[in-house]
Amino acid sequence: MKYKKSAYPKVLLLALMSLSMSAPKVVMGQKTVGPKPAFSVAGFYPQSDSPRKVYNFNPGWRFFKGNIKGAEQVGFNDSAWAQVSLPDGLEILPENASGMRNYQGPAWYRKTFKTASTNGKSFIYFEGVMGKAVVYLNGIKVKEHFGGYLPFVVDIDNSTLTKNGNNVIAVLADNSNDESYPPGKAQDNLDFAYLGGIYRDVYWIETPSLHLSFPELSKTIAGGGVFVAVKDVNGNSANIEVRTEVQNEGNADVKLSVRSTLEDRDGKVILTKTGTLKVIKGGSQQMIQQLDVKNVHLWHPDDPYLHFIKTEVLENGKVVDSYRTRFGIRLFEMRGDDGFFVNKKYIGHKLSGVNRHQDYVYVGNAVPNTSQYRDAKLLREAGSTIVRAAHYPLDPAFMDACDELGLLVTSANPGWQFYNDKDPRFEKFLAEDTHNLVRRDRNRAALLLWETAINETPWQPASVMNNLHRIVHQEFPYPGAFTAADVDEAKKAGFDFYYHGGMQEEKNSFTREYGDGGEVDNFYSQNAMSRVKREWGELALLNQANIRAQGLNEIFNTPPKRIGAALWAGIDHQRGYHPDPFLGGLLDVYRMPRYSFYLFKSQYDPSFKLPGIETGPMVYIAHELTQVSGGDITVFSNCEEVRLTWLGKVIGTVRPDSTMKNMPHAPFVFKNVFNFHEISTNWRNKTKEINLIAEGLIGGKVVVSSVKKYPERTTGIKLDIDSAGLGLYADGSDFIPVRATIVDNNGVAKVLASENVHFEVEGEGTVIGSEENQANPMKTQFGTATVLVRATTRAGKIKVKAYVNGLKADEITFNSIPAALPLLFSDQSKPIAKNPGPISKLGQDTGNQKKSAEMGEVKDLKDRIKRLELEVTSRDQDIMELRSKKDSKH
């Protein structure tokens, strides 16, 4: 049937303290108060009154980049090592860390600590260590793990812990290339990078011997911990199934009770159900409970209301373990020609979103929870209703944010254009990853698709892909589990959902990537008008935005069977196989917006409301009124009409670009308006009076307006905190971006300014980076420089100062807040600067200084081989681009 453009639900998620002077101004509507962001721990939410104790295990580590004999031993002297807090990315990187600029190899982490208790059980939960990890506790090897993107749990024998004394944990992390486990592909042929370290959170968890089990340790299919599934929804009634597994590590069989309480978002009890279990010593048992509820608030992407299951394990009437599990009461269905249904109703619009890699400027993959949340919030603000995980599972904190913001998300097995059929371990690890992927994300309200097949790898065996599909449905035996892959591979494996499937296909489909591949000159050079740096100026940013507008117009021109599309990509990211980062994002590596960010943002409907974010009509003027600005003025708006006033005269009122009728809100273009000579001729002594005014009209009435002031003489700096309203936690690893904008005498941003901004931080914070990686001082880009300020482990006042020689300085003061969880670490001496350690990179001098003819020939051969490998990778990308275009025809 013919797809009719519907009212597209639209959310304008403007961060509370974000993008004020550091980004061009957008005028918008009202903000409604939403729930405070909450971050999960090992998949659950701790309770202060629970016998289960959870500690932040991130601070107080010592670090050495390289390998060193005996580092696992208790008596090893690590006093000269650098002191770090996790998440840690091995090194402070430059803005451009692509093209094998990052370190690959072994690195050691050590930590001395005292446990709060040696009774019951202890566990160490690692959210992610890049590559291979070997964990030692008090000199004893306790865990080995392969794979850098999924969590693992160390089950501690408390007899190995020192009572009332120091314990030593040592972790060997190695992000070297290894074909035995996914992703497997060498970094120098990879479109992302193995930015290493213990780069996600680590928690120390203490429980009684009778406790809720860990999904990562459970041998029960669809088991481990608490699994909450919605079996059916009818109106505002729902049938919910709760699976709870209890582990008995005591010395006797136990008869116990499990009490499951359904709570609303505010903790109000809706329903309670209690059952009994008998668990033999050394064993585990799962209880399955049915909850039939009426008149409940359902979860929907446009109304992301979340509930909790509070689980309590009771022995002899006493609670011995408890925590809360967050979920959304919702039902997803794919109904072929009719499209994507939520709670048995058509969602009503296309899913328009982006792909996302996880790295961040300077810190690599070591991104704290608040920055993960800010990413999700910015992408939701930028018109995204879905994020595709590229090409691995995203951080749990990002997933938490997606649940809260109604931002649909996929989860993916790690990999890209590689399958190792010569080593049986690869298939084994891939299957294990699939089990763990589902167990980690099964309670996610926003989880839409399981991308279990390795991305863009048509040669992976159909039998292997079918097994991964089977594992998903074993681990998630309920409605709403959809395995997804490119249409040809999905057909071979019997998947539930297609990427790039044509309209003739039986199953629903989604365009997993668009907007970039067809723009590059070739996949070796990779020059494209869609890939630009903000510092290249207005023309480059407008060119990208125009390309993005054409892409949006195309994705909305498809029937409901094609449920949506994801832009490649939402945020710039580093790459292993190319010396340039990907520069085509709506946001750059500093999370500063390009013009295309506001184009996507304008696709939201002005009437939509979502708690916690700013919504309403918007106008954004994509013009800077400088001596190099063009004559046309582009405005991004979700209004029906825009009226423009320039130099005191009404230029006119126009409707959106008529050549792009498929997208909800096309750009508004005013031709031949700006001429700098008019300013220099007629307004030279009254430049303070120069304004460009854009007014948004709906129903013939002005509902919003934006004023762009003319930038005069450069005079100073304006500092702003880009916190997105989340604050800065004093946990030793959290950081916050502070923007320094060069301004004129009236505080108007000077986007053409090119200045080196020096930053100083006083109090309970430090600057991430230095002159060595060009982080401090930093040269402005499009008039702005960003510094990342990291908190210490003590909450308190932080003062940031910014200087430029010859300009007026600025300073800003704010407070860090106490960490959400108690910190478990021994306070050590003053931090020591990171020792770079030995670095082993292709082409780097090893010290032998051999210049013989034989060595030269070997180098020439290696260079030729490398060039051939890159050509193969480029060819593979060309092939995948052609396949995507073929499959997407309708």
Side-chain angles (χ1 to χ4, degrees):
M1 71 179 187
K2 177 72 175 175
Y3 177 70
K4 296 180 181 179
K5 186 174 69 172
S6 60
Y8 183 65
K10 313 180 173 174
V11 181
L12 291 172
L13 181 54
L14 190 62
L16 294 176
M17 301 176 70
S18 171
L19 311 176
S20 51
M21 280 300 299
S22 56
K25 190 171 184 179
V26 187
V27 178
M28 301 172 55
Q30 298 297 312
K31 177 184 178 298
T32 56
V33 176
K36 182 180 179 181
F39 299 115
S40 60
V41 173
F44 63 86
Y45 288 80
Q47 295 176 249
S48 59
D49 59 350
S50 173
R52 172 179 293 236
K53 302 304 177 186
V54 180
Y55 299 90
N56 182 328
F57 207 51
N58 288 336
W61 292 78
R62 293 286 184 178
F63 165 79
F64 182 82
K65 186 165 66 176
N67 206 353
I68 190 165
K69 186 177 180 180
E72 76 281 6
Q73 297 300 318
V74 173
F76 181 86
N77 184 3
D78 60 13
S79 61
W81 289 13
Q83 184 177 332
V84 299
S85 287
L86 309 179
D88 180 72
L90 297 183
E91 56 197 334
I92 302 300
L93 297 162
E95 177 184 322
N96 181 355
S98 294
M100 301 298 290
R101 289 177 170 92
N102 65 299
Y103 172 78
Q104 278 191 279
W108 280 95
Y109 293 86
R110 286 172 53 89
K111 174 172 176 165
T112 301
F113 64 100
K114 293 182 180 180
T115 59
S117 171
T118 55
N119 298 320
K121 289 291 300 179
S122 298
F123 302 88
I124 311 174
Y125 189 93
F126 290 85
E127 283 187 347
V129 180
M130 185 53 67
K132 300 182 289 290
V134 185
V135 182
Y136 300 87
L137 184 62
N138 293 331
I140 300 171
K141 182 178 175 179
V142 292
K143 189 75 174 182
E144 187 172 23
H145 180 76
F146 295 85
Y149 300 96
L150 284 164
F152 62 93
V153 179
V154 180
D155 186 348
I156 302 298
D157 181 352
N158 277 2
S159 65
T160 64
L161 295 175
T162 303
K163 294 184 179 181
N164 302 318
N166 288 330
N167 294 278
V168 176
I169 182 172
V171 180
L172 176 61
D174 191 343
N175 65 334
S176 302
N177 296 335
D178 192 326
E179 295 185 349
S180 69
Y181 61 87
K185 191 167 189 173
Q187 183 183 267
D188 55 356
N189 289 315
L190 196 66
D191 196 36
F192 51 102
Y194 299 135
L195 305 172
I198 307 179
Y199 73 96
R200 289 180 179 171
D201 291 317
V202 182
Y203 300 100
W204 181 275
I205 302 171
E206 296 175 353
T207 73
S209 58
L210 186 64
H211 61 89
L212 294 161
S213 64
F214 285 81
E216 294 81 4
L217 299 177
S218 174
K219 298 186 184 302
T220 305
I221 295 296
V226 178
F227 181 7
V228 187
V230 177
K231 298 174 69 175
D232 197 14
V233 164
N234 286 293
N236 290 327
S237 298
N239 175 230
I240 301 168
E241 185 165 290
V242 182
R243 296 187 176 213
T244 307
E245 185 175 71
V246 180
Q247 184 86 25
N248 179 11
E249 301 192 61
N251 297 320
D253 298 349
V254 175
K255 186 175 182 181
L256 56 88
S257 299
V258 174
R259 184 162 62 208
S260 298
T261 302
L262 176 64
E263 300 176 340
D264 69 8
R265 181 176 62 195
D266 301 318
K268 181 181 178 180
V269 174
I270 298 174
L271 182 105
T272 297
K273 182 160 284 192
T274 303
T276 59
L277 277 179
K278 183 176 181 180
V279 187
I280 63 172
K281 64 178 181 179
S284 63
Q285 191 71 32
Q286 186 183 69
M287 174 181 287
I288 299 178
Q289 297 169 308
Q290 306 295 324
L291 305 181
D292 291 307
V293 293
K294 297 180 180 179
N295 299 317
V296 291
H297 195 153
L298 302 182
W299 188 96
H300 189 282
D302 304 329
D303 183 16
Y305 189 94
L306 293 161
H307 286 79
F308 289 89
I309 290 290
K310 180 181 178 181
T311 304
E312 296 169 293
V313 179
L314 298 94
E315 183 182 11
N316 298 322
K318 180 181 178 181
V319 175
V320 295
D321 195 11
S322 66
Y323 60 64
R324 301 169 85 210
T325 302
R326 197 173 71 172
F327 74 108
I329 302 176
R330 55 78 169 158
L331 183 69
F332 290 165
E333 298 174 283
M334 299 294 172
R335 296 192 181 181
D337 289 340
D338 293 331
F340 172 41
F341 276 60
V342 181
N343 302 327
K344 297 187 176 178
K345 295 179 182 179
Y346 175 55
I347 193 170
H349 60 84
K350 286 289 177 191
L351 299 180
S352 173
V354 298
N355 286 261
R356 176 189 182 256
H357 275 297
Q358 67 185 1
D359 58 269
Y360 205 111
V361 70
Y362 304 152
V363 300
N365 289 332
V367 184
N369 292 340
T370 56
S371 294
Q372 298 283 354
Y373 197 101
R374 278 196 294 271
D375 273 8
K377 201 169 185 183
L378 284 167
L379 293 176
R380 188 68 161 113
E381 179 184 350
S384 292
T385 51
I386 186 169
V387 169
R388 176 177 175 246
H391 302 292
Y392 41 76
L394 298 177
D395 189 280
F398 184 87
M399 306 295 277
D400 290 337
C402 290
D403 288 343
E404 293 183 18
L405 299 170
L407 182 57
L408 295 171
V409 65
T410 70
S411 201
N413 268 331
W416 181 73
Q417 295 186 3
F418 181 85
Y419 183 85
N420 186 353
D421 58 1
K422 298 179 176 60
D423 188 338
R425 292 178 296 173
F426 189 89
E427 180 181 344
K428 171 179 172 289
F429 285 130
L430 184 58
E432 290 177 0
D433 282 351
T434 306
H435 283 285
N436 290 326
L437 183 74
V438 179
R439 292 187 181 199
R440 194 196 76 158
D441 292 334
R442 63 195 180 188
N443 291 320
R444 298 286 179 193
L447 200 290
L448 180 63
L449 301 173
W450 301 98
E451 192 175 324
T452 52
I454 296 175
N455 183 56
E456 295 188 1
T457 310
W459 54 91
Q460 57 193 310
S463 60
V464 172
M465 291 190 293
N466 181 259
N467 183 49
L468 304 180
H469 166 78
R470 181 181 58 82
I471 290 171
V472 170
H473 287 282
Q474 285 179 335
E475 292 285 357
F476 199 115
Y478 300 103
F482 306 105
T483 52
D486 286 359
V487 57
D488 292 339
E489 286 70 65
K491 283 183 175 180
K492 289 187 292 184
F495 278 17
D496 306 298
F497 188 91
Y498 298 158
Y499 284 149
H500 300 299
M503 295 306 105
Q504 76 282 1
E505 303 293 350
E506 176 187 359
K507 296 180 179 178
N508 290 93
S509 64
F510 181 85
T511 302
R512 60 171 169 78
E513 298 174 20
Y514 79 94
D516 183 69
E519 296 297 326
V520 298
D521 52 0
N522 59 70
F523 278 105
Y524 180 76
S525 300
Q526 299 203 19
N527 300 306
M529 292 175 66
S530 58
R531 301 183 182 185
V532 300
K533 299 192 73 173
R534 291 176 66 253
E535 63 193 86
W536 295 352
E538 286 175 73
L539 179 59
L541 294 174
L542 279 170
N543 284 339
Q544 189 210 40
N546 289 332
I547 293 168
R548 295 287 178 250
Q550 293 293 338
L552 279 172
N553 195 56
E554 291 173 7
I555 71 164
F556 280 99
N557 189 32
T558 56
K561 178 179 276 188
R562 175 75 54 75
I563 70 170
L567 175 74
W568 188 270
I571 306 174
D572 291 0
H573 64 89
Q574 308 295 342
R575 305 185 294 169
Y577 78 148
H578 201 281
D580 300 331
F582 175 77
L583 299 173
L586 307 180
L587 300 161
D588 68 12
V589 291
Y590 297 96
R591 277 46 179 181
M592 290 293 290
R594 295 183 171 92
Y595 286 166
S596 54
F597 175 94
Y598 301 101
L599 164 71
F600 273 64
K601 188 174 190 173
S602 69
Q603 301 313 300
Y604 283 137
D605 190 271
S607 65
F608 186 73
K609 294 181 180 180
L610 190 68
I613 65 170
E614 196 164 310
T615 58
M618 67 157 284
V619 286
Y620 175 82
I621 302 170
H623 199 282
E624 305 304 329
L625 310 183
T626 74
Q627 60 268 37
V628 295
S629 298
D632 297 347
I633 294 178
T634 299
V635 177
F636 302 126
S637 176
N638 54 6
C639 295
E640 295 171 356
E641 299 175 303
V642 171
R643 181 165 64 213
L644 196 72
T645 301
W646 171 235
L647 298 178
K649 298 178 182 178
V650 176
I651 302 300
T653 302
V654 302
R655 298 187 68 83
D657 188 336
S658 61
T659 65
M660 291 183 273
K661 295 181 178 180
N662 297 317
M663 61 193 297
H665 302 285
F668 297 76
V669 180
F670 295 83
K671 292 287 188 181
N672 301 316
V673 172
F674 181 80
N675 183 343
F676 183 78
H677 287 296
E678 189 172 3
I679 295 173
S680 62
T681 302
N682 301 323
W683 290 75
R684 49 188 306 125
N685 294 318
K686 46 183 178 178
T687 51
K688 283 184 174 60
E689 303 173 23
I690 297 177
N691 291 323
L692 176 66
I693 304 171
E695 298 170 294
L697 292 84
I698 297 177
K701 297 181 178 180
V702 175
V703 294
V704 65
S705 64
S706 179
V707 179
K708 177 83 73 170
K709 298 186 71 66
Y710 177 75
E712 297 186 288
R713 177 189 177 100
T714 301
T715 60
I717 303 169
K718 178 69 171 64
L719 285 177
D720 288 282
I721 305 167
D722 194 353
S723 73
L726 298 179
L728 179 66
Y729 288 95
D731 58 10
S733 60
D734 197 15
F735 66 74
I736 197 168
V738 177
R739 317 290 190 190
T741 302
I742 307 300
V743 295
D744 72 358
N745 45 304
N746 297 308
V748 178
K750 295 278 291 185
V751 297
L752 298 184
S754 180
E755 303 284 357
N756 288 308
V757 181
H758 297 253
F759 295 95
E760 291 181 4
V761 174
E762 299 176 2
E764 299 300 336
T766 60
V767 172
I768 296 178
S770 63
E771 187 174 6
E772 185 177 354
N773 70 325
Q774 299 179 328
N776 188 25
M778 180 188 171
K779 187 177 181 180
T780 55
Q781 300 179 3
F782 212 50
T784 300
T786 295
V787 65
L788 303 183
V789 178
R790 173 172 282 154
T792 68
T793 55
R794 291 181 293 273
K797 183 180 292 186
I798 300 171
K799 180 185 288 186
V800 180
K801 299 179 181 180
Y803 305 89
V804 170
N805 190 25
L807 300 182
K808 183 180 179 181
D810 196 18
E811 64 180 49
I812 193 167
T813 301
F814 54 94
N815 291 311
S816 60
I817 58 180
L821 293 172
L823 308 178
L824 181 57
F825 75 112
S826 298
D827 196 9
Q828 301 184 45
S829 60
K830 185 178 179 181
I832 303 169
K834 273 194 173 181
N835 178 357
I839 298 178
S840 177
K841 294 183 180 178
L842 182 65
Q844 184 163 342
D845 187 1
T846 62
N848 291 329
Q849 302 295 325
K850 293 185 178 180
K851 299 180 180 179
S852 65
E854 290 182 359
M855 290 298 292
E857 291 175 2
V858 169
K859 185 179 184 303
D860 288 343
L861 287 172
K862 286 183 177 180
D863 289 344
R864 290 172 61 188
I865 292 170
K866 182 60 197 166
R867 173 63 185 255
L868 290 172
E869 288 175 341
L870 289 173
E871 288 179 356
V872 169
T873 300
S874 300
R875 181 208 62 193
D876 289 342
Q877 288 186 273
D878 282 326
I879 292 172
M880 293 309 302
E881 179 69 17
L882 290 171
R883 291 177 83 236
S884 298
K885 289 180 179 178
K886 173 184 74 69
D887 295 338
S888 295
K889 287 183 178 180
H890 58 277

